[in-house]
Amino acid sequence: MYECVSNKVSLDINHVSTRFLSTAQWSVNDKWTLLKLIQALVREELIPFVFNKGDLIFYSALDDLAMTVSQVKFTQQNRCLDFSEIYFIHHGDLKRVASLTEFLTGLYPFITHLVSDKLWMRLLNELSDHKRNSLMSEDMGRKKSLNIYLQARHNSYTDVVSWVMNEPTIVDKSLFMEQFVSQGHPMHPCSKTKLGFSRDDVQAYSPEYNPVVRVSIAAIHKTVVGLSVSTSLNNKGYTDWFSSVFPAEYQAWKKALSESSLSSKDYLPLPVHPWQEREIIGSKFHSYISKQLLCFFDQVYIQASPTLSFRTLKPLGNSAAPYMKLPVAIQATSALRTLSPASIKNAALVTDILRDIFIKENNFDQRLKMLPEVAGVYLNDTTSRAADHLGVIFRESVDNELESDENCLVVACLFERSPITHVPLLSEQMTLSGVKNSNDAMTYFKRYASKVIVSYLTLYLRYGIALEGHQQNTLAVFKAGSIQYFIAKDFDGIDIDESVCDKNVLQGKPSLRKVISASAEMPRNNLLHTVYQSHIGEIIIILAEHFDCAETEFWECVANITHDCFMELKSVIDPIHWQSEYTAIMQQNWSCRALLRMRLVEHYDRDGIFTALKNPLANYTSFDNYVDK
């Protein structure tokens, strides 16, 4: 934890300490958001502060204005887990904060030098939308939990996953577990923001509500689109492949074309999200529709339901059918969820590159598999941003990878509280596997962390490729509570260090747009943020809390696993590259995404904005022992 980031301390800390004051009764929703805002203020050093005896004191540029947050609980990575009270101090007077709105009103004078009125209003709008959606999600989560509790208790189940896997009314088990997640991004203050969705839209299209979504199958003329097709389709054309995975829907599509006096030989089937069709397509593609380059039909659709990533939908009624990733032009968290032609073009190319690597590495000794992105359709006209609003990426179904006795859980659901035992689902899985105490927990964690770290780190060090290994894009496969392996999905956020990848992978391959990073730091930042911080770091937090032990014990385990992986790869990696990466990952400060600061600037590029974070591995190894001098 930071000791102090300001030399300007004009108030008596004891005077503003509020330990003696009563504890505020925060709403669950407000406190969850406030924790992430306070955390961002500290991690991103937006306001000068001191940390004294459990209290945070923030100072503005004005001598007579301060803010105190009492009894703050931080993790080793400065994740804010709890606090008691928040007070603003002006001319010595204390005003207690009782809501998120009061906090934001009081915060503004502290950061007026950082943000324009326009951007501040944008942030307030995003937080307001986040709050509305969070309250709705919270209410739905309570109803789900009560239903699960009653049914599981009636059938004598002691953990959620066992109930799900044996409940005959739940047809798609992995989808159910994705839709069980309600917390949202663990660090983003606007984790539930969905600007562009009405309240009804949120319920109709968000995963928490288990909606059935009718995805239209439009007809797009072959002259205006391009195709991205993986070699895994074995030279099968897109239309033949589509008709094989969606046979009934394809026949309905062909019939609708014929009834419109159009030939299926001239068109390709293209899934379109119903919200996108209703709100975007008519205005942006009026000329396409008037010229019959794009056609819609009333009763031609794929019945699907959203995964944790709401614009990636899983078809219902056919477990082998591929997921569909679609553009839905709303702002979720911080980004407009469109789908660029470059992303679609890259999908099959990246899949083919990764498949070759995964075969060569034997799925990293069976630690990590992947869900191939096998096909995509995109508009040829890339001169207009309208092309980002129409297209699709198809991803293989996880059900094609699983054995009958394996359970697939998106990693984000491991952090959800069980309605049966009221502990995180990961803790339930650990108990199911035989974990009884902190020593057992450490053994379990070492196996879990080794599978994650060795696979993603090897992919990065040997091939210069950093996948987004965070909670949403990683599936964990269990058997009787024991972790077996992980599955990586969604390659749109991939980062590639061309200098490394070109030597080992890309020679003779088609050019990859968008994912080649401008700097070598970005792939590493991606790895550290998604794998080490957002995934493993969050696992450490819940295990340290559940088993009442120090985080440092788990981080020492991570340091040893990471060091051993480096040593294992030392003979096959360029020595200069090996040394620079060892220094950056094992010793130097890490980079941390500045999730609040990036909402206070007009524009930021794909690489994002980062701030420094103390490296939790640096305490356990000495770099001097492992490099050539």
Side-chain angles (χ1 to χ4, degrees):
M1 177 63 205
Y2 297 104
E3 291 301 319
C4 178
V5 294
S6 173
N7 294 320
K8 184 177 182 179
V9 180
S10 58
L11 296 177
D12 182 352
I13 291 175
N14 292 323
H15 175 68
V16 298
S17 176
T18 59
R19 291 177 183 277
F20 61 91
L21 295 168
S22 62
T23 301
Q25 297 299 309
W26 298 99
S27 72
V28 173
N29 185 274
D30 274 7
K31 188 157 189 179
W32 178 241
T33 304
L34 283 165
L35 286 169
K36 291 189 278 189
L37 287 169
I38 293 165
Q39 169 183 292
L41 293 175
V42 171
R43 297 178 86 174
E44 300 172 30
E45 300 184 14
L46 286 163
I47 308 172
F49 68 89
V50 294
F51 187 62
N52 181 70
K53 298 178 181 178
D55 293 341
L56 268 173
I57 315 294
F58 292 96
Y59 294 88
S60 77
L62 304 174
D63 289 342
D64 60 353
L65 184 62
M67 172 174 62
T68 180
V69 185
S70 68
Q71 300 180 54
V72 185
K73 181 181 179 182
F74 279 104
T75 71
Q76 191 169 336
Q77 283 201 296
N78 291 336
R79 285 275 280 107
C80 186
L81 299 184
D82 200 8
F83 65 87
S84 177
E85 302 272 15
I86 302 175
Y87 278 78
F88 288 107
I89 305 101
H90 192 211
H91 294 304
D93 295 327
L94 275 67
K95 179 181 179 181
R96 193 181 80 167
V97 174
S99 68
L100 176 62
T101 300
E102 288 184 6
F103 174 81
L104 293 168
T105 301
L107 176 65
Y108 183 58
F110 287 81
I111 61 173
T112 52
H113 63 292
L114 293 176
V115 60
S116 67
D117 289 344
K118 173 186 173 183
L119 293 177
W120 179 248
M121 291 306 297
R122 181 182 76 175
L123 176 63
L124 292 182
N125 187 38
E126 292 172 356
L127 285 166
S128 175
D129 191 74
H130 157 81
K131 181 170 182 175
R132 180 199 71 177
N133 299 335
S134 293
L135 288 169
M136 292 169 60
S137 180
E138 192 179 308
D139 182 57
M140 176 55 66
R142 281 194 294 267
K143 293 174 182 176
K144 278 188 179 181
S145 292
L146 178 60
N147 182 58
I148 292 172
Y149 170 75
L150 293 174
Q151 292 194 47
R153 185 176 70 169
H154 177 75
N155 293 289
S156 301
Y157 285 105
T158 58
D159 70 281
V160 169
V161 174
S162 294
W163 170 74
V164 170
M165 297 306 162
N166 290 281
E167 174 54 47
T169 62
I170 301 175
V171 177
D172 195 320
K173 313 296 186 182
S174 64
L175 180 62
F176 182 92
M177 296 311 302
E178 293 217 27
Q179 295 180 337
F180 179 70
V181 179
S182 62
Q183 289 187 31
H185 194 292
M187 302 177 201
H188 203 300
C190 303
S191 60
K192 288 292 183 179
T193 297
K194 287 185 172 70
L195 288 176
F197 273 179
S198 67
R199 177 184 290 269
D200 288 343
D201 291 334
V202 171
Q203 294 177 325
Y205 304 124
S206 298
E208 301 99 306
Y209 305 93
N210 311 97
V212 175
V213 179
R214 288 189 171 190
V215 178
S216 297
I217 309 178
I220 187 81
H221 204 276
K222 290 181 178 180
T223 58
V224 297
V225 293
L227 296 173
S228 173
V229 180
S230 167
T231 57
S232 64
L233 298 189
N234 298 318
N235 297 319
K236 182 182 288 188
Y238 168 76
T239 302
D240 289 343
W241 171 81
F242 186 93
S243 66
S244 69
V245 293
F246 299 111
E249 294 87 347
Y250 177 72
Q251 290 304 317
W253 178 81
K254 279 187 68 176
K255 181 181 178 182
L257 275 169
S258 178
E259 290 174 349
S260 300
S261 300
L262 300 172
S263 172
S264 60
K265 294 180 180 179
D266 297 327
Y267 292 86
L268 296 175
L270 176 65
V272 178
H273 192 281
W275 185 92
Q276 191 79 352
E277 179 184 353
R278 186 186 80 216
E279 301 290 338
I280 303 295
I281 300 300
S283 60
K284 290 191 178 296
F285 297 97
H286 175 75
S287 64
Y288 279 64
I289 294 171
S290 64
K291 297 174 183 177
Q292 291 191 314
L293 297 174
L294 177 63
C295 307
F296 289 88
F297 314 103
D298 289 340
Q299 295 300 316
V300 182
Y301 57 85
I302 298 169
Q303 199 158 266
S305 194
T307 63
L308 183 54
S309 173
F310 75 96
R311 44 81 169 260
T312 298
L313 297 103
K314 193 174 186 187
L316 299 174
N318 180 2
S319 62
Y323 300 89
M324 301 170 288
K325 183 174 182 178
L326 304 170
V328 182
I330 67 158
Q331 181 189 316
T333 59
S334 304
L336 190 67
R337 301 300 169 173
T338 52
L339 194 58
S340 71
S343 294
I344 300 171
K345 288 179 183 178
N346 285 337
L349 295 174
V350 168
T351 286
D352 289 342
I353 288 169
L354 289 175
R355 180 183 285 105
D356 290 345
I357 294 172
F358 276 60
I359 291 173
K360 179 180 178 181
E361 296 286 344
N362 187 29
N363 289 325
F364 300 94
D365 294 328
Q366 298 304 312
R367 294 182 177 95
L368 182 68
K369 296 182 180 180
M370 57 174 274
L371 289 186
E373 296 181 345
V374 294
V377 181
Y378 57 89
L379 287 185
N380 282 328
D381 180 14
T382 57
T383 59
S384 168
R385 294 303 297 270
D388 294 355
H389 293 272
L390 195 62
V392 62
I393 293 173
F394 292 97
R395 182 186 307 145
E396 287 282 10
S397 170
V398 69
D399 295 280
N400 298 333
E401 295 289 338
L402 301 175
E403 302 293 336
S404 60
D405 59 347
E406 292 179 335
N407 308 322
C408 180
L409 311 179
V410 65
V411 166
C413 83
L414 300 177
F415 300 86
E416 295 286 334
R417 294 277 168 176
S418 165
I420 302 171
T421 61
H422 310 294
V423 301
L425 260 60
L426 177 61
S427 301
E428 278 194 347
Q429 289 295 289
M430 294 171 74
T431 299
L432 192 63
S433 74
V435 171
K436 294 183 175 62
N437 51 47
S438 58
N439 289 333
D440 293 344
M442 181 58 68
T443 301
Y444 191 101
F445 173 76
K446 184 175 181 180
R447 175 179 167 83
Y448 184 109
S450 176
K451 289 180 181 294
V452 175
I453 291 169
V454 172
S455 52
Y456 283 95
L457 183 59
T458 300
L459 180 63
Y460 169 69
L461 292 176
R462 290 204 67 174
Y463 304 101
I465 297 175
L467 295 178
E468 283 189 313
H470 54 52
Q471 298 175 25
Q472 181 174 288
N473 284 358
T474 313
L475 302 171
V477 178
F478 294 87
K479 186 181 293 186
S482 178
I483 187 69
Q484 302 300 300
Y485 58 91
F486 293 88
I487 302 175
K489 63 172 183 172
D490 196 342
F491 307 139
D492 192 31
I494 189 175
D495 278 296
I496 295 178
D497 183 343
E498 189 173 19
S499 64
V500 176
C501 197
D502 190 53
K503 296 176 184 177
N504 300 291
V505 180
L506 295 180
Q507 292 181 349
K509 304 281 186 184
S511 175
L512 287 173
R513 296 174 55 201
K514 185 183 178 184
V515 297
I516 299 295
S517 300
S519 68
E521 287 75 25
M522 189 54 212
R524 185 191 311 122
N525 289 346
N526 188 342
L527 175 80
L528 292 174
H529 175 72
T530 64
V531 175
Y532 281 86
Q533 297 168 40
S534 300
H535 187 163
I536 295 299
E538 296 297 303
I539 293 289
I540 287 174
I541 290 172
I542 63 170
L543 292 185
E545 178 184 14
H546 184 74
F547 291 97
D548 193 25
C549 52
E551 290 180 62
T552 52
E553 298 175 36
F554 295 103
W555 280 115
E556 183 174 8
C557 180
V558 172
N560 291 332
I561 293 169
T562 304
H563 166 71
D564 290 347
C565 183
F566 265 97
M567 299 306 293
E568 183 71 23
L569 296 172
K570 189 172 185 179
S571 63
V572 296
I573 296 176
D574 174 80
I576 296 176
H577 177 64
W578 187 94
Q579 291 182 14
S580 66
E581 291 299 334
Y582 191 97
T583 305
I585 293 175
M586 297 295 293
Q587 292 292 315
Q588 295 176 346
N589 281 342
W590 285 354
S591 291
C592 171
R593 282 197 184 275
L595 296 170
L596 180 57
R597 188 182 289 274
M598 71 184 189
R599 305 314 301 145
L600 304 179
V601 298
E602 188 71 46
H603 301 290
Y604 60 94
D605 61 22
R606 175 181 179 271
D607 287 355
I609 300 173
F610 288 83
T611 187
L613 181 69
K614 185 177 179 181
N615 188 339
L617 310 185
N619 298 331
Y620 307 110
T621 56
S622 172
F623 172 70
D624 291 339
N625 295 335
Y626 307 119
V627 300
D628 300 324
K629 296 186 178 180

